[in-house]
Amino acid sequence: MNQPEVKNYINGEFCRNGQPSLDVISPLTGEKISTLPMSGMKELDQAVTAAKNAFPSWSSLTLKERIQVFFKYRNLLEKNIDELSNLVQLENGKTYSESRAEVEKSIELCEFAVSMPQIITNEIQEVSRGVECRIERKPIGVVACITPFNFPNMVPHWTVPNALVLGNTVIIKPSEMVPLSVMRMAELLEEAGLPKGVFNIVNGGKEIVEAICDHEGIEAVSFVGSTKVAKIVYKRASNSLKRCVALGGAKNHLLVLPDAHVQMTANNVVASMSGCAGQRCMAAAVMVGVDQVQHIIDQMIIEAKKIVPGENLGSVISKEAKERIEGYITEAEQQGAKILVDGRGATVSGKEGGYYVGPTIIDYVTKDMSVATEEIFGPVISIIRAKNLDEAIQIENHSNYGNAAAVFTQNGGLAKRVMEKASAGMIGVNIGVPVPREPFSFGGWNESKFGVGDITGRSSIEFWTQNKKTTTKWNPEDKTNWMS
Ligand code: NAD
């Protein structure tokens, strides 16, 4: 165990009070690196009370006052970027450069949050002589954020900075598999001057998530994770009359046309499916090869073979994840698909206990195979062959998910057709991981997202605030018809 034990963070204090404990395992080596408390209702109640008590003074600060904390915090992220990147790598298993890119993205997310005074100018209009209407955005109160394992640093920054600068107080429940980055986030927020009780952490699993959904003191819940749990959280939080946005899983389709630039396409498709060991909700999962694309597949094989576990490819999160991913590959092989590059059985010398899967390319996948429809969440791409673009679009549209889709071509007209017809929230043209940057918003369609609006960028402002509409009349002429 080379990390401090994980603690809850409630009312500005790190605390652990004899709750049952769960081991935190580094997937790089399979070794125990810490333990975390599996909290219960008592700890959640304490966090809600702290956040409720902190709300009146925090929400009454001006926006400009609140963002000062995030200017300092953003600089602390930058100052500590090496240490934070190492921590992401240790608990999640991705490579150092991927971990660093993740923390850099968190910095960008803070830059968006501190720009909020430039974005929120509210609205005012003289609607009738002497009568004015104004709309102001007000915070909602105590809000909760539930996060997954795959971006231990970045996904908490999708929600926490925006929710806080807009005047809410926050409780976060990080993934029990990667709780260390969020604990470090609390330390740095405290160093940046965030008042006690404004940001709280309650560690735990399913029980805490359910308690958050039911708790009367919590007004809104954001969730990022699998579709199975997103559905549970969205239904349960809505049932207890909270606003909720719940982002789920993905099965992203890349449509590759024969005229696509060969090297650029091969690089992009392989990087998209294998980056972060395929554990990105924006990862390429299905390549739909339209007509004659063998020359591009041949180049993809060359590129995939340059990716080596333990060197430029990290681990997957757990032993179960490795077994699940390898199980999908074996099932596809038994059903008649052809494994062009096989990542099963990968090991890394000196890290034999780690959970590694090499890049895998599966060809001649048919539409109904599980590798074509289910989220594998590993460095695996399934190639489905389509006769023409219409058939390729139909295959993409058939998916229950709808996070991202991309097209690779040099023909603008065909690219435009995919932009219009793909059933996904985020579209790429010659880009394998089309993540919208701030101030554009992140969010999918279909079973990749439940709720209104997106989770980042401008669209998130609506989620973290409520509008107050005020009509004023200071015109002393009482005969004036205010409708005139
Ligand atoms: P997960 O759904 O297993 O866990 C997410 C959170 O829910 C965790 O905090 C976990 O403790 C909690 N949880 C797990 N099971 C629960 C249950 N039965 N009831 C209540 N709470 C429960 O997801 P994960 O494995 O941590 O993350 C990977 C998934 O997240 C993938 O499906 C990936 O596509 C998705 N993801 C989606 C996006 C997006 O933007 N759409 C972003 C990142 C990850």
Side-chain angles (χ1 to χ4, degrees), residues 73-121:
Y73 176 72
R74 177 233 171 264
N75 291 342
L76 287 171
L77 288 180
E78 198 168 61
K79 186 175 152 202
N80 293 287
I81 191 162
D82 278 341
E83 178 226 322
L84 295 169
S85 309
N86 280 319
L87 197 56
V88 169
Q89 185 179 24
L90 181 72
E91 63 178 343
N92 170 275
K94 59 182 74 171
T95 65
Y96 178 80
S97 60
E98 289 167 346
S99 304
R100 197 176 170 100
E102 170 169 350
V103 182
E104 281 165 2
K105 182 70 192 168
S106 300
I107 292 172
E108 260 186 48
L109 289 156
C110 290
E111 287 164 359
F112 176 73
V114 299
S115 74
M116 214 61 93
Q118 274 65 50
I119 297 171
I120 302 184
T121 47

Short mmCIF file of all heavy atoms in Angstrom, two decimals, residues 73-121:
data_model
loop_
_atom_site.label_atom_id
_atom_site.label_comp_id
_atom_site.label_asym_id
_atom_site.label_seq_id
_atom_site.Cartn_x
_atom_site.Cartn_y
_atom_site.Cartn_z
N TYR A 73 -7.23 27.58 -8.12
CA TYR A 73 -7.28 26.11 -8.23
C TYR A 73 -6.71 25.65 -9.58
O TYR A 73 -5.94 24.69 -9.66
CB TYR A 73 -8.72 25.63 -8.05
CG TYR A 73 -8.88 24.15 -8.24
CD1 TYR A 73 -8.39 23.25 -7.30
CD2 TYR A 73 -9.49 23.64 -9.39
CE1 TYR A 73 -8.52 21.88 -7.49
CE2 TYR A 73 -9.62 22.28 -9.59
CZ TYR A 73 -9.13 21.41 -8.63
OH TYR A 73 -9.25 20.05 -8.83
N ARG A 74 -7.08 26.36 -10.65
CA ARG A 74 -6.56 26.03 -11.99
C ARG A 74 -5.04 26.07 -11.99
O ARG A 74 -4.36 25.19 -12.54
CB ARG A 74 -7.14 27.03 -13.00
CG ARG A 74 -6.65 26.85 -14.41
CD ARG A 74 -6.09 28.16 -14.97
NE ARG A 74 -5.43 27.88 -16.24
CZ ARG A 74 -4.11 27.67 -16.36
NH1 ARG A 74 -3.31 27.68 -15.31
NH2 ARG A 74 -3.59 27.41 -17.54
N ASN A 75 -4.48 27.07 -11.33
CA ASN A 75 -3.01 27.19 -11.28
C ASN A 75 -2.39 26.08 -10.43
O ASN A 75 -1.29 25.62 -10.70
CB ASN A 75 -2.60 28.57 -10.78
CG ASN A 75 -2.96 29.65 -11.80
OD1 ASN A 75 -3.20 29.33 -12.97
ND2 ASN A 75 -3.05 30.90 -11.38
N LEU A 76 -3.11 25.65 -9.41
CA LEU A 76 -2.61 24.53 -8.59
C LEU A 76 -2.60 23.23 -9.39
O LEU A 76 -1.70 22.39 -9.23
CB LEU A 76 -3.46 24.37 -7.33
CG LEU A 76 -3.25 25.45 -6.25
CD1 LEU A 76 -4.29 25.32 -5.15
CD2 LEU A 76 -1.84 25.34 -5.67
N LEU A 77 -3.62 23.06 -10.25
CA LEU A 77 -3.62 21.86 -11.12
C LEU A 77 -2.37 21.88 -12.00
O LEU A 77 -1.69 20.86 -12.17
CB LEU A 77 -4.87 21.83 -12.02
CG LEU A 77 -6.21 21.52 -11.38
CD1 LEU A 77 -7.31 21.53 -12.44
CD2 LEU A 77 -6.22 20.16 -10.68
N GLU A 78 -2.08 23.06 -12.54
CA GLU A 78 -0.92 23.18 -13.43
C GLU A 78 0.38 22.92 -12.66
O GLU A 78 1.25 22.19 -13.10
CB GLU A 78 -0.91 24.57 -14.04
CG GLU A 78 -0.06 24.69 -15.27
CD GLU A 78 -0.32 26.00 -15.98
OE1 GLU A 78 -0.08 27.06 -15.36
OE2 GLU A 78 -0.79 25.96 -17.11
N LYS A 79 0.46 23.52 -11.46
CA LYS A 79 1.68 23.39 -10.65
C LYS A 79 1.93 21.92 -10.26
O LYS A 79 3.08 21.47 -10.21
CB LYS A 79 1.50 24.25 -9.39
CG LYS A 79 2.71 24.34 -8.50
CD LYS A 79 2.47 25.31 -7.35
CE LYS A 79 3.31 24.92 -6.17
NZ LYS A 79 2.78 25.44 -4.92
N ASN A 80 0.85 21.19 -10.01
CA ASN A 80 0.98 19.81 -9.52
C ASN A 80 0.73 18.77 -10.62
O ASN A 80 0.42 17.62 -10.32
CB ASN A 80 -0.01 19.58 -8.37
CG ASN A 80 0.36 20.41 -7.15
OD1 ASN A 80 1.32 20.12 -6.46
ND2 ASN A 80 -0.39 21.48 -6.91
N ILE A 81 0.87 19.19 -11.87
CA ILE A 81 0.41 18.30 -12.95
C ILE A 81 1.15 16.96 -13.00
O ILE A 81 0.55 15.92 -13.27
CB ILE A 81 0.41 19.03 -14.32
CG1 ILE A 81 -0.34 18.18 -15.36
CG2 ILE A 81 1.81 19.40 -14.78
CD1 ILE A 81 -0.78 18.93 -16.58
N ASP A 82 2.42 16.96 -12.68
CA ASP A 82 3.17 15.68 -12.72
C ASP A 82 2.62 14.71 -11.69
O ASP A 82 2.34 13.55 -11.99
CB ASP A 82 4.66 15.93 -12.41
CG ASP A 82 5.39 16.39 -13.64
OD1 ASP A 82 4.88 16.17 -14.75
OD2 ASP A 82 6.47 17.01 -13.48
N GLU A 83 2.47 15.23 -10.48
CA GLU A 83 1.98 14.37 -9.39
C GLU A 83 0.55 13.89 -9.69
O GLU A 83 0.23 12.70 -9.51
CB GLU A 83 2.02 15.19 -8.09
CG GLU A 83 1.50 14.47 -6.89
CD GLU A 83 0.56 15.33 -6.07
OE1 GLU A 83 0.79 16.55 -5.95
OE2 GLU A 83 -0.43 14.77 -5.57
N LEU A 84 -0.30 14.79 -10.18
CA LEU A 84 -1.70 14.42 -10.46
C LEU A 84 -1.76 13.39 -11.60
O LEU A 84 -2.58 12.47 -11.56
CB LEU A 84 -2.52 15.66 -10.82
CG LEU A 84 -2.69 16.67 -9.69
CD1 LEU A 84 -3.27 17.98 -10.21
CD2 LEU A 84 -3.57 16.11 -8.58
N SER A 85 -0.89 13.55 -12.59
CA SER A 85 -0.88 12.60 -13.73
C SER A 85 -0.41 11.22 -13.26
O SER A 85 -0.96 10.20 -13.67
CB SER A 85 0.03 13.11 -14.84
OG SER A 85 -0.29 14.44 -15.16
N ASN A 86 0.60 11.22 -12.39
CA ASN A 86 1.08 9.93 -11.85
C ASN A 86 -0.02 9.23 -11.07
O ASN A 86 -0.15 8.00 -11.12
CB ASN A 86 2.29 10.16 -10.94
CG ASN A 86 3.56 10.33 -11.76
OD1 ASN A 86 3.77 9.61 -12.73
ND2 ASN A 86 4.41 11.27 -11.38
N LEU A 87 -0.81 10.02 -10.35
CA LEU A 87 -1.89 9.44 -9.55
C LEU A 87 -2.97 8.83 -10.45
O LEU A 87 -3.46 7.72 -10.18
CB LEU A 87 -2.49 10.55 -8.66
CG LEU A 87 -3.34 10.12 -7.48
CD1 LEU A 87 -2.59 9.17 -6.55
CD2 LEU A 87 -3.83 11.34 -6.70
N VAL A 88 -3.32 9.54 -11.52
CA VAL A 88 -4.30 9.00 -12.48
C VAL A 88 -3.76 7.68 -13.05
O VAL A 88 -4.48 6.67 -13.12
CB VAL A 88 -4.58 10.00 -13.63
CG1 VAL A 88 -5.37 9.33 -14.75
CG2 VAL A 88 -5.32 11.22 -13.11
N GLN A 89 -2.49 7.69 -13.41
CA GLN A 89 -1.91 6.48 -14.00
C GLN A 89 -1.95 5.32 -13.01
O GLN A 89 -2.32 4.20 -13.35
CB GLN A 89 -0.46 6.76 -14.43
CG GLN A 89 0.13 5.56 -15.14
CD GLN A 89 1.55 5.76 -15.61
OE1 GLN A 89 2.28 6.58 -15.08
NE2 GLN A 89 1.94 5.00 -16.61
N LEU A 90 -1.58 5.62 -11.77
CA LEU A 90 -1.53 4.57 -10.75
C LEU A 90 -2.90 3.95 -10.50
O LEU A 90 -3.04 2.73 -10.41
CB LEU A 90 -0.99 5.16 -9.44
CG LEU A 90 -0.86 4.19 -8.27
CD1 LEU A 90 0.30 3.22 -8.51
CD2 LEU A 90 -0.66 4.94 -6.96
N GLU A 91 -3.93 4.80 -10.38
CA GLU A 91 -5.22 4.22 -9.99
C GLU A 91 -6.04 3.73 -11.18
O GLU A 91 -6.86 2.83 -11.04
CB GLU A 91 -6.05 5.15 -9.10
CG GLU A 91 -6.48 6.46 -9.66
CD GLU A 91 -7.34 7.27 -8.67
OE1 GLU A 91 -7.85 6.71 -7.68
OE2 GLU A 91 -7.50 8.48 -8.91
N ASN A 92 -5.82 4.32 -12.38
CA ASN A 92 -6.62 3.93 -13.53
C ASN A 92 -5.90 2.99 -14.48
O ASN A 92 -6.53 2.18 -15.17
CB ASN A 92 -7.08 5.19 -14.28
CG ASN A 92 -7.71 4.88 -15.62
OD1 ASN A 92 -7.02 4.72 -16.61
ND2 ASN A 92 -9.02 4.75 -15.64
N GLY A 93 -4.57 3.13 -14.60
CA GLY A 93 -3.81 2.22 -15.47
C GLY A 93 -3.47 2.78 -16.83
O GLY A 93 -2.75 2.13 -17.60
N LYS A 94 -3.97 4.00 -17.17
CA LYS A 94 -3.63 4.52 -18.50
C LYS A 94 -2.18 4.97 -18.53
O LYS A 94 -1.52 5.03 -17.48
CB LYS A 94 -4.62 5.61 -18.92
CG LYS A 94 -4.70 6.81 -18.03
CD LYS A 94 -5.75 7.82 -18.52
CE LYS A 94 -7.18 7.38 -18.28
NZ LYS A 94 -8.18 8.39 -18.54
N THR A 95 -1.66 5.32 -19.69
CA THR A 95 -0.24 5.69 -19.79
C THR A 95 -0.04 7.07 -19.16
O THR A 95 -1.01 7.83 -18.96
CB THR A 95 0.22 5.76 -21.26
OG1 THR A 95 -0.49 6.82 -21.90
CG2 THR A 95 -0.02 4.46 -21.99
N TYR A 96 1.24 7.40 -18.91
CA TYR A 96 1.51 8.72 -18.31
C TYR A 96 1.03 9.84 -19.23
O TYR A 96 0.42 10.80 -18.79
CB TYR A 96 3.01 8.88 -17.99
CG TYR A 96 3.28 10.25 -17.41
CD1 TYR A 96 3.01 10.52 -16.07
CD2 TYR A 96 3.73 11.29 -18.22
CE1 TYR A 96 3.22 11.80 -15.54
CE2 TYR A 96 3.94 12.57 -17.69
CZ TYR A 96 3.68 12.82 -16.36
OH TYR A 96 3.86 14.07 -15.85
N SER A 97 1.30 9.72 -20.54
CA SER A 97 0.92 10.83 -21.44
C SER A 97 -0.60 10.96 -21.52
O SER A 97 -1.14 12.07 -21.59
CB SER A 97 1.56 10.71 -22.81
OG SER A 97 1.15 9.51 -23.40
N GLU A 98 -1.32 9.84 -21.49
CA GLU A 98 -2.79 9.93 -21.47
C GLU A 98 -3.27 10.56 -20.16
O GLU A 98 -4.22 11.35 -20.14
CB GLU A 98 -3.40 8.53 -21.63
CG GLU A 98 -3.24 7.95 -23.01
CD GLU A 98 -3.54 6.46 -23.11
OE1 GLU A 98 -3.62 5.77 -22.06
OE2 GLU A 98 -3.67 5.97 -24.25
N SER A 99 -2.61 10.20 -19.06
CA SER A 99 -3.00 10.75 -17.75
C SER A 99 -2.77 12.26 -17.73
O SER A 99 -3.59 13.03 -17.23
CB SER A 99 -2.18 10.10 -16.63
OG SER A 99 -2.33 8.71 -16.68
N ARG A 100 -1.65 12.67 -18.30
CA ARG A 100 -1.32 14.10 -18.33
C ARG A 100 -2.33 14.87 -19.21
O ARG A 100 -2.78 15.96 -18.86
CB ARG A 100 0.11 14.27 -18.87
CG ARG A 100 0.66 15.63 -18.56
CD ARG A 100 2.11 15.74 -18.99
NE ARG A 100 2.52 17.12 -18.90
CZ ARG A 100 3.23 17.62 -17.89
NH1 ARG A 100 3.64 16.85 -16.92
NH2 ARG A 100 3.53 18.90 -17.87
N ALA A 101 -2.69 14.25 -20.35
CA ALA A 101 -3.68 14.89 -21.23
C ALA A 101 -5.01 15.05 -20.48
O ALA A 101 -5.73 16.04 -20.66
CB ALA A 101 -3.87 14.06 -22.49
N GLU A 102 -5.31 14.07 -19.62
CA GLU A 102 -6.56 14.14 -18.84
C GLU A 102 -6.53 15.34 -17.88
O GLU A 102 -7.50 16.10 -17.78
CB GLU A 102 -6.73 12.82 -18.07
CG GLU A 102 -7.84 12.88 -17.07
CD GLU A 102 -8.25 11.55 -16.46
OE1 GLU A 102 -7.81 10.49 -16.92
OE2 GLU A 102 -9.04 11.60 -15.52
N VAL A 103 -5.40 15.53 -17.20
CA VAL A 103 -5.32 16.66 -16.25
C VAL A 103 -5.31 17.99 -17.01
O VAL A 103 -5.91 18.97 -16.57
CB VAL A 103 -4.08 16.52 -15.33
CG1 VAL A 103 -4.04 17.65 -14.31
CG2 VAL A 103 -4.09 15.18 -14.60
N GLU A 104 -4.67 17.99 -18.19
CA GLU A 104 -4.71 19.23 -19.01
C GLU A 104 -6.14 19.58 -19.38
O GLU A 104 -6.53 20.74 -19.42
CB GLU A 104 -3.85 19.04 -20.28
CG GLU A 104 -2.37 19.22 -19.99
CD GLU A 104 -1.46 18.70 -21.09
OE1 GLU A 104 -1.96 18.22 -22.13
OE2 GLU A 104 -0.24 18.77 -20.89
N LYS A 105 -6.94 18.56 -19.64
CA LYS A 105 -8.36 18.81 -19.98
C LYS A 105 -9.09 19.36 -18.74
O LYS A 105 -9.96 20.24 -18.87
CB LYS A 105 -8.97 17.49 -20.48
CG LYS A 105 -10.39 17.59 -20.90
CD LYS A 105 -10.59 18.38 -22.18
CE LYS A 105 -12.08 18.67 -22.34
NZ LYS A 105 -12.46 19.61 -23.33
N SER A 106 -8.74 18.87 -17.56
CA SER A 106 -9.36 19.41 -16.34
C SER A 106 -9.03 20.89 -16.20
O SER A 106 -9.87 21.69 -15.78
CB SER A 106 -8.85 18.67 -15.09
OG SER A 106 -9.16 17.31 -15.17
N ILE A 107 -7.81 21.26 -16.57
CA ILE A 107 -7.40 22.67 -16.51
C ILE A 107 -8.28 23.50 -17.46
O ILE A 107 -8.81 24.55 -17.09
CB ILE A 107 -5.90 22.82 -16.85
CG1 ILE A 107 -5.06 22.18 -15.73
CG2 ILE A 107 -5.50 24.28 -17.06
CD1 ILE A 107 -3.57 22.07 -16.00
N GLU A 108 -8.50 22.97 -18.66
CA GLU A 108 -9.37 23.67 -19.63
C GLU A 108 -10.78 23.83 -19.10
O GLU A 108 -11.42 24.86 -19.30
CB GLU A 108 -9.47 22.83 -20.91
CG GLU A 108 -8.58 23.29 -22.02
CD GLU A 108 -8.86 22.50 -23.30
OE1 GLU A 108 -10.03 22.32 -23.71
OE2 GLU A 108 -7.87 22.05 -23.87
N LEU A 109 -11.26 22.80 -18.42
CA LEU A 109 -12.62 22.86 -17.87
C LEU A 109 -12.72 23.96 -16.80
O LEU A 109 -13.72 24.66 -16.71
CB LEU A 109 -13.03 21.49 -17.31
CG LEU A 109 -13.27 20.44 -18.40
CD1 LEU A 109 -13.10 19.03 -17.86
CD2 LEU A 109 -14.66 20.59 -19.01
N CYS A 110 -11.65 24.12 -16.02
CA CYS A 110 -11.64 25.21 -15.03
C CYS A 110 -11.59 26.57 -15.74
O CYS A 110 -12.20 27.53 -15.26
CB CYS A 110 -10.43 25.08 -14.10
SG CYS A 110 -10.57 23.70 -12.99
N GLU A 111 -10.89 26.62 -16.86
CA GLU A 111 -10.82 27.89 -17.61
C GLU A 111 -12.21 28.28 -18.11
O GLU A 111 -12.57 29.46 -18.13
CB GLU A 111 -9.81 27.79 -18.77
CG GLU A 111 -8.38 27.79 -18.24
CD GLU A 111 -7.34 27.32 -19.24
OE1 GLU A 111 -7.71 26.95 -20.37
OE2 GLU A 111 -6.15 27.30 -18.87
N PHE A 112 -12.99 27.29 -18.50
CA PHE A 112 -14.37 27.60 -18.89
C PHE A 112 -15.16 28.12 -17.68
O PHE A 112 -15.87 29.13 -17.77
CB PHE A 112 -15.07 26.36 -19.48
CG PHE A 112 -16.52 26.62 -19.79
CD1 PHE A 112 -16.87 27.40 -20.89
CD2 PHE A 112 -17.54 26.13 -18.98
CE1 PHE A 112 -18.21 27.67 -21.17
CE2 PHE A 112 -18.87 26.40 -19.25
CZ PHE A 112 -19.19 27.17 -20.36
N ALA A 113 -14.98 27.45 -16.54
CA ALA A 113 -15.75 27.86 -15.34
C ALA A 113 -15.42 29.30 -14.94
O ALA A 113 -16.31 30.06 -14.58
CB ALA A 113 -15.46 26.90 -14.19
N VAL A 114 -14.14 29.69 -15.04
CA VAL A 114 -13.80 31.06 -14.62
C VAL A 114 -14.23 32.10 -15.67
O VAL A 114 -14.25 33.29 -15.38
CB VAL A 114 -12.30 31.25 -14.28
CG1 VAL A 114 -11.89 30.36 -13.13
CG2 VAL A 114 -11.40 31.02 -15.49
N SER A 115 -14.59 31.62 -16.86
CA SER A 115 -15.09 32.58 -17.87
C SER A 115 -16.59 32.82 -17.72
O SER A 115 -17.18 33.57 -18.50
CB SER A 115 -14.79 32.06 -19.28
OG SER A 115 -15.66 31.00 -19.60
N MET A 116 -17.20 32.22 -16.73
CA MET A 116 -18.67 32.30 -16.58
C MET A 116 -19.21 33.74 -16.54
O MET A 116 -20.26 34.00 -17.14
CB MET A 116 -19.07 31.52 -15.32
CG MET A 116 -20.38 30.83 -15.39
SD MET A 116 -20.53 29.58 -16.69
CE MET A 116 -20.07 28.08 -15.84
N PRO A 117 -18.51 34.69 -15.89
CA PRO A 117 -19.07 36.05 -15.90
C PRO A 117 -19.19 36.63 -17.31
O PRO A 117 -20.03 37.49 -17.55
CB PRO A 117 -18.05 36.86 -15.08
CG PRO A 117 -17.37 35.86 -14.22
CD PRO A 117 -17.32 34.60 -15.03
N GLN A 118 -18.36 36.15 -18.24
CA GLN A 118 -18.45 36.65 -19.62
C GLN A 118 -19.62 35.98 -20.36
O GLN A 118 -20.09 36.48 -21.36
CB GLN A 118 -17.15 36.34 -20.40
CG GLN A 118 -16.06 37.39 -20.25
CD GLN A 118 -15.55 37.49 -18.83
OE1 GLN A 118 -15.22 36.48 -18.23
NE2 GLN A 118 -15.50 38.69 -18.30
N ILE A 119 -20.05 34.84 -19.84
CA ILE A 119 -21.08 34.07 -20.56
C ILE A 119 -22.47 34.38 -20.02
O ILE A 119 -23.43 34.50 -20.76
CB ILE A 119 -20.77 32.56 -20.45
CG1 ILE A 119 -19.43 32.28 -21.13
CG2 ILE A 119 -21.86 31.73 -21.09
CD1 ILE A 119 -18.91 30.89 -20.90
N ILE A 120 -22.53 34.50 -18.68
CA ILE A 120 -23.85 34.74 -18.08
C ILE A 120 -24.03 36.23 -17.87
O ILE A 120 -23.54 36.79 -16.91
CB ILE A 120 -23.97 34.05 -16.72
CG1 ILE A 120 -23.74 32.58 -16.87
CG2 ILE A 120 -25.33 34.30 -16.12
CD1 ILE A 120 -23.93 31.84 -15.60
N THR A 121 -24.74 36.87 -18.75
CA THR A 121 -25.00 38.30 -18.55
C THR A 121 -26.46 38.54 -18.17
O THR A 121 -26.87 39.67 -17.99
CB THR A 121 -24.64 39.09 -19.81
OG1 THR A 121 -25.22 38.42 -20.92
CG2 THR A 121 -23.13 39.20 -20.00
#
